[in-house]
Amino acid sequence: MSEVNSPERVGGWTRLVTARPRLSLLAALVITALAVFAGSGVADRMGSGGWEAPDAESTYTTRVLEREFPASQPNLLLLVDSGGASVDDPAVAAEAARLTERLAGERGITGVGSYWQTTSPALRSEDGHEAIVAARIEGDEKTAGDTLDRIAPAYRGVHGPVEVSVGGPVAVRHEMQTIIQEDLLRAELIALPVTLVLLVMVFGSAIAALLPLGVGIVAILGTNAVLRGITELTDVSVFAQNLTTALGLGLAIDYALFIVRRFREELASGADTRAAIGTTLRTAGRTVLFSALTVAVSLAAMMVFPQYFLRSFAYAGIAVVLLAAAAALILLPAALMLLGPRVNSLDLRRLLRRRTDRKAPAGEPAEGSGRGWARFAVLVMRRAPVFAVVTTVGLILLGLPFLGVKFGTADDRQLPSTAESRVVQEHIRDAFPGSPGGGLEVLAEGEATPAQYSDFRARISALPGVQRVDGPVTGDGSAYFNVLSEGEAVGQEAQQLVRELRAEPAPFDTSVTGAAAVLVDSKDAIADRLPWAVGIIVVVTLLLVFLLTGSVLIPVQAVVLNALSLTAMFGAVVWVFQDGHLSGLLSFTSTGDIETTLPVLMFCVAFGLSMDYGVFLISRIKEEYDRTGDHEHSVTFGLRHTGGLITAAAVILAVVMVAIGTSRVTNTKMLGLGIALAVLMDAMVVRSLLVPSVMKLMGRATWWAPKPLRAFHQRFGLSEGEPAPPEDRDADEMSEQRVQERDKITAGA
């Protein structure tokens, strides 16, 4: 019996997960059923905001104004359309007054005001046919959403001489949350069957194809239960569910592909079922563990940001990655133990095969020998300088549009053009002179005289970019001014005005809020924490890859090449979503900027997924290098055995992300399509061209490490393959078999 089949090669973990496979799968089924119950209704407890920094000046000011001056912070707007009549028509005014009085009597509503009460020109359209009733719904996002659901049907529609539409920030958020839930269900219905077809094409066997889907479903359902628990402790964004679905399917499929593929290779080489599982867990299993840790670290870096929108993706990402890895390392081996060689059953590609097809040689995957990838690797390494330079320059050029990025904030234009709340907001933005709710509020706290208020108002009225100043509206020891800026509500002029208002001296304490102020504070919070997030990702990635390889240069190479793989994504995001190219084809409205948190989120997710593929390739190269000591042969071997696997995994993940990208909400569309592009570029360009060419240029120095670090790795690192005998460590003393194999591949290339 070969060494791989010997009992001592089956480790304790293998014995643990294969001892009672039926019991393990039954327990998993019960836990998954409990997760379905525990995670039910999680979307209803999630929020659709979270872009604000909770410790920012704008957040503090908003809270004080909500408490002391609720009318200053309306989040519910009723757009009253009088048709062809004037809003000052007695019949229209009487009906509007009735609606206003009725709204003021609703439970959970405060700060009700209207054009007919105040005669403010800001609440009346320029053509005189529309006017606004403004109010504030009290409570958090869930409470406000429940209140809106309760009262909106009674106000929406025709009321005598007027027609009422419901809008405002709370309506925008609530409609966005509803659309995201609907789109996510549609994305799952698209992704699951397409993914199954692709898996069958990859594996041939329908039985093998079902295993990754099972792992993904367990990870998704388990993560929903985790998120349901987290909502009891803190706010969680509804957008995080999209990441749960995408990563749950994507990573589970990646991990299961890697493990099932290696298991089938071991079976093909003559190993029995338990020994095949042992070798698979000792090699591919460790790779999956390292991959999960690197992806989890990339996603965990979002925890350093104060915005709960970003933190939510860390909660969801960490949970789904760890659950996917756990299912792949615990449940999948149990299933393979029960299936054994039957994992190859129901080969749906048999009819397409020619009778003359040769049987895969020992040790080769049942899906094919991978000689095409081997020839490709030889070709790339033969012209390594050309491929390295051209690919790097090409990726940098694709990323150049990102140099012109403009950061903004999400608004109603995220929604489809037919959404009621967006229609209302567009009417207000285009037809009303004062942009109700779109200005800046300056809170003044502390005792002050009318003369001091008047002097402060005069000074801020004289600031550049100020169109009008209303107020002060005074209360008990505080007051506020409403400042309307020229240009866009969150444009550069408005952001500069925020800074000037905050710098303006006053005899009382002042603070500023409003859409532009929230954006300024969000950008500052991200800029302040971004170095920490990037530092965490880079340092931990360097450490993990070093523990896997024992090399100093490979971790650096992995970080640099991963960063290069993201350039196309960032360039495309600006070119498409900021500049508006392809907006008609993709059905979205360009706002001329990118929501501030999206690039951070996309970087963390895409970097983690790139490392996922990088670890798969590097670990197989390292395993072969440990066995043979032949650098170039190991690179060729690694690409030969993982090139098709990584490409298949990337295509499947891209399908899932594109399904997410069919969302009608622009930010979700950007997230899905952007990450789909990133993973395809990483798998098909970086892993196929840059990695082999750079490793060829670096030569055997690729594996260099100073003596103290080599000793550290020997003690604490992982080595998947068997080390080559000393006489085999010299690349100039390759075995005749490998020389002949390389010559054949080179001749074929």
Side-chain angles (χ1 to χ4, degrees):
M1 181 179 292
S2 64
E3 183 181 2
V4 75
N5 290 321
S6 61
E8 64 270 20
R9 299 303 297 159
V10 177
W13 181 253
T14 304
R15 287 192 294 271
L16 177 65
V17 297
T18 60
R20 292 182 173 83
R22 290 184 176 82
L23 181 61
S24 298
L25 294 177
L26 178 62
L29 182 62
V30 172
I31 294 172
T32 302
L34 293 175
V36 172
F37 175 77
S40 61
V42 62
D44 295 332
R45 300 186 58 83
M46 292 179 164
S48 54
W51 293 282
E52 307 88 357
D55 55 350
E57 177 181 317
S58 58
T59 305
Y60 165 80
T61 309
T62 298
R63 289 172 180 166
V64 174
L65 290 173
E66 288 174 357
R67 184 178 68 247
E68 303 294 336
F69 305 98
S72 70
Q73 298 288 299
N75 58 11
L76 175 65
L77 301 177
L78 301 184
L79 180 66
V80 181
D81 186 350
S82 61
S86 168
V87 293
D88 296 315
D89 183 272
V92 172
E95 182 62 28
R98 187 188 70 80
L99 288 171
T100 303
E101 183 179 358
R102 179 182 174 187
L103 183 62
E106 297 281 2
R107 177 168 44 89
I109 301 294
T110 186
V112 179
S114 71
Y115 162 74
W116 295 273
Q117 290 176 327
T118 65
T119 67
S120 169
L123 299 177
R124 180 180 183 271
S125 66
E126 293 178 343
D127 65 8
H129 298 313
E130 294 174 321
I132 290 174
V133 178
R136 179 160 194 85
I137 301 181
E138 297 178 312
D140 57 20
E141 287 185 22
K142 184 179 186 306
T143 303
D146 292 342
T147 302
L148 182 68
D149 282 336
R150 175 170 53 84
I151 68 173
Y155 294 89
R156 182 184 293 118
V158 177
H159 297 265
V162 302
E163 183 175 0
V164 178
S165 301
V166 179
V170 69
V172 171
R173 288 196 299 267
H174 191 60
E175 196 160 8
M176 187 179 297
Q177 186 172 10
T178 301
I179 290 175
I180 287 173
Q181 293 179 38
E182 295 172 353
D183 291 348
L184 182 60
L185 177 60
R186 187 182 70 249
E188 291 171 345
L189 293 176
I190 294 172
L192 284 172
V194 175
T195 297
L196 180 59
V197 170
L198 291 174
L199 286 170
V200 170
M201 292 174 62
V202 171
F203 282 125
S205 162
I207 298 297
L210 288 171
L211 294 175
L213 279 185
V215 172
I217 291 171
V218 169
I220 292 171
L221 295 177
T223 301
N224 284 337
V226 172
L227 291 178
R228 176 63 177 80
I230 294 175
T231 60
E232 297 289 341
L233 305 174
T234 187
D235 294 320
V236 179
S237 172
V238 69
F239 286 92
Q241 275 203 301
N242 293 293
L243 186 69
T244 297
T245 297
L247 289 186
L249 282 177
L251 290 178
I253 288 170
D254 286 355
Y255 298 157
L257 272 174
F258 205 59
I259 287 177
V260 174
R261 175 77 169 264
R262 187 58 183 263
F263 175 72
R264 297 176 80 183
E265 287 184 28
E266 296 303 320
L267 287 181
S269 69
D272 61 40
T273 299
R274 189 179 297 274
I277 293 175
T279 302
T280 298
L281 290 178
R282 192 173 64 254
T283 54
R286 289 178 177 177
T287 300
V288 165
L289 180 60
F290 263 74
S291 173
L293 290 175
T294 55
V295 177
V297 167
S298 295
L299 297 171
M302 287 185 283
M303 291 287 290
V304 307
F305 296 100
Q307 294 94 332
Y308 87 73
F309 174 79
L310 289 174
R311 297 172 70 90
S312 298
F313 285 93
Y315 305 147
I318 294 171
V320 77
V321 169
L322 296 183
L323 286 172
L329 296 176
I330 299 173
L331 303 183
L332 192 53
L336 293 175
M337 186 65 194
L338 291 176
L339 289 171
R342 292 192 301 274
V343 72
N344 297 317
S345 300
L346 298 180
D347 190 345
L348 302 181
R349 300 184 308 182
R350 185 177 301 164
L351 297 177
L352 300 178
R353 291 177 180 155
R354 297 179 180 177
R355 294 181 178 179
T356 57
D357 281 355
R358 65 177 180 84
K359 183 179 178 181
E364 295 291 358
E367 296 80 17
S369 65
R371 286 189 176 274
W373 284 102
R375 288 194 293 269
F376 186 75
V378 171
L379 174 64
V380 170
M381 288 192 289
R382 184 189 300 166
R383 297 174 176 85
V386 174
F387 279 103
V389 172
V390 171
T391 305
T392 301
V393 171
L395 289 173
I396 292 173
L397 290 175
L398 290 174
L400 287 180
F402 192 72
L403 296 177
V405 66
K406 298 176 183 176
F407 294 110
T409 187
D411 61 19
D412 56 279
R413 288 169 290 184
Q414 293 282 315
L415 295 170
S417 58
T418 55
E420 180 189 20
S421 58
R422 173 175 173 174
V423 172
V424 171
Q425 296 303 116
E426 287 184 335
H427 269 273
I428 294 172
R429 189 164 44 244
D430 297 337
F432 285 72
S435 185
L440 298 170
E441 288 82 33
V442 181
L443 174 66
E445 295 180 285
E447 297 297 331
T449 64
Q452 288 174 320
Y453 283 141
S454 179
D455 176 66
F456 181 71
R457 174 178 173 173
R459 284 189 283 113
I460 62 177
S461 297
L463 292 174
V466 174
Q467 180 178 329
R468 189 179 75 243
V469 178
D470 296 326
V473 177
T474 57
D476 186 13
S478 61
Y480 80 91
F481 301 82
N482 187 274
V483 181
L484 185 63
S485 65
E486 298 175 349
E488 289 284 336
V490 293
Q492 292 300 319
E493 298 86 353
Q495 295 178 51
Q496 181 59 33
L497 180 58
V498 169
R499 297 183 178 91
E500 293 180 356
L501 287 171
R502 288 174 172 174
E504 188 67 29
F508 36 73
D509 294 331
T510 62
S511 55
V512 182
T513 190
V518 170
L519 175 58
V520 168
D521 290 339
S522 180
K523 288 166 65 175
D524 290 345
I526 288 175
D528 181 57
R529 307 292 179 88
L530 187 60
W532 287 98
V534 173
I536 290 170
I537 291 173
V538 170
V539 170
V540 177
T541 298
L542 291 174
L543 177 61
L544 288 174
V545 178
F546 170 75
L547 289 175
L548 182 65
T549 63
S551 164
V552 170
L553 297 181
I554 288 181
V556 176
Q557 169 194 304
V559 170
V560 173
L561 298 190
N562 275 14
L564 274 176
S565 72
L566 307 184
T567 54
M569 175 186 72
F570 284 125
V573 161
V574 171
W575 190 77
V576 174
F577 291 95
Q578 176 180 294
D579 299 341
H581 299 100
L582 306 180
S583 58
L585 177 64
L586 298 177
S587 300
F588 71 92
T589 299
S590 172
T591 59
D593 52 45
I594 301 297
E595 205 284 316
T596 314
T597 58
L598 257 295
V600 176
L601 168 62
M602 296 175 76
F603 170 80
C604 293
V605 174
F607 189 93
L609 293 174
S610 296
M611 279 305 307
D612 186 43
Y613 299 138
V615 168
F616 286 172
L617 176 57
I618 291 171
S619 65
R620 202 63 192 266
I621 295 174
K622 168 65 174 173
E623 179 184 348
E624 185 66 8
Y625 184 75
D626 283 346
R627 190 179 70 86
T628 66
D630 182 348
H631 175 67
E632 290 189 29
H633 164 77
S634 300
V635 175
T636 303
F637 181 92
L639 197 60
R640 175 178 181 174
H641 283 257
T642 64
L645 176 68
I646 290 173
T647 302
V651 169
I652 292 171
L653 180 56
V655 165
V656 177
M657 296 308 304
V658 168
I660 298 294
T662 62
S663 173
R664 292 165 289 170
V665 176
T666 305
N667 274 357
T668 306
K669 189 187 299 289
M670 186 189 311
L671 176 67
L673 298 182
I675 293 179
L677 176 62
V679 297
L680 290 176
M681 292 295 293
D682 181 77
M684 298 182 177
V685 177
V686 173
R687 303 302 152 202
S688 302
L689 300 176
L690 267 184
V691 170
S693 59
V694 170
M695 293 190 81
K696 165 66 175 179
L697 293 174
M698 293 169 61
R700 296 192 67 196
T702 299
W703 309 102
W704 176 84
K707 188 174 181 179
L709 289 181
R710 286 202 305 271
F712 179 86
H713 179 262
Q714 289 173 358
R715 182 171 181 181
F716 299 105
L718 290 180
S719 180
E720 295 185 345
E722 295 300 322
E727 62 271 16
D728 289 343
R729 298 297 296 178
D730 191 339
D732 294 331
E733 298 180 10
M734 295 182 300
S735 68
E736 182 180 351
Q737 179 183 359
R738 292 204 311 276
V739 173
Q740 293 174 351
E741 181 181 359
R742 178 178 298 178
D743 290 342
K744 291 179 181 178
I745 293 173
T746 304

